[in-house]
Amino acid sequence: MNLSTLARHTLSRGATPAATYTLLARLGHQPLPVARAVCLALDIPHAETTRRLADCHDALLTDPRPNSENDTGELLEALGVFDVPVALDATGRAVVDLLTTAIEAIGGIRPGHQHGLTRWFTTGNLTAAYLSLAATHPLPRTGDPTTYWTTLTTAGELLTTTPNPDPRLKYALTHCRTQATRT
């Protein structure tokens, strides 16, 4: 049985991607092929798998410490290596474009916040990305508050047209509209 098949079987039995990585690595398989197998078992395209693993290969997969399989699996998961990309519809793509414009209008964003937003875009969790940005304010010296709040208002209006919108969107949209009128 090849590693991808073993990973797919492990995932089908309810294991998380991190736990699947840990199990296969503890069976004596090398870290890079195990991480690749988990990604492929999750149906992450090969080119995307290769790109993601290249980003963390040297730090996590080249020379792992003994008995670090669990930590490595959890780190790979936290870094988004195992995030399954979602194909967005036209509304979703428009929302991502608007949120990207808002991010540019912040005037600077913390790397951790940027990482979280990227993961939400990849997994299609646009409501979480929107709520996070609605709770953020553009930087006073480098940000563009007018563009930021009007863009978020438009993104929020689009998100509220989706089936069963999260009730929190209504409050965040009201906040963004209020901020837009103040700029």
Side-chain angles (χ1 to χ4, degrees):
M1 184 179 291
N2 73 28
L3 277 177
S4 292
T5 303
L6 188 54
R8 187 168 279 113
H9 175 73
T10 305
L11 290 164
S12 74
R13 301 197 45 92
T16 65
T20 301
Y21 174 89
T22 300
L23 174 70
L24 297 179
R26 284 188 178 157
L27 290 174
H29 300 287
Q30 292 300 307
L32 181 60
V34 170
R36 180 175 286 112
V38 173
C39 288
L40 296 175
L42 291 166
D43 294 324
I44 298 170
H46 189 271
E48 179 64 14
T49 294
T50 300
R51 185 194 65 75
R52 291 179 187 190
L53 294 176
D55 288 347
C56 64
H57 180 265
D58 292 341
L60 292 175
L61 303 173
T62 300
D63 189 25
R65 291 175 295 126
N67 302 314
S68 65
E69 299 88 358
N70 188 57
D71 293 341
T72 302
E74 288 180 6
L75 274 170
L76 290 169
E77 196 165 272
L79 290 171
V81 171
F82 300 139
D83 286 352
V84 178
V86 170
L88 298 172
D89 61 12
T91 301
R93 288 190 302 275
V95 169
V96 168
D97 288 345
L98 289 164
L99 296 180
T100 301
T101 299
I103 291 167
E104 292 167 1
I106 288 176
I109 189 168
R110 294 180 336 273
H113 192 190
Q114 179 66 51
H115 176 71
L117 291 165
T118 301
R119 290 189 70 192
W120 287 325
F121 292 167
T122 299
T123 59
N125 193 347
L126 303 184
T127 295
Y130 178 78
L131 294 172
S132 175
L133 288 170
T136 303
H137 291 274
L139 296 174
R141 281 187 253 142
T142 56
D144 179 351
T146 301
T147 299
Y148 186 73
W149 294 114
T150 57
T151 304
L152 283 182
T153 297
T154 305
E157 289 167 348
L158 281 175
L159 283 170
T160 59
T161 66
T162 60
N164 304 313
D166 187 310
R168 297 174 296 170
L169 285 171
K170 177 181 167 185
Y171 301 105
L173 178 55
T174 300
H175 171 70
C176 291
R177 284 182 177 140
T178 301
Q179 293 299 319
T181 62
R182 292 181 181 168
T183 58

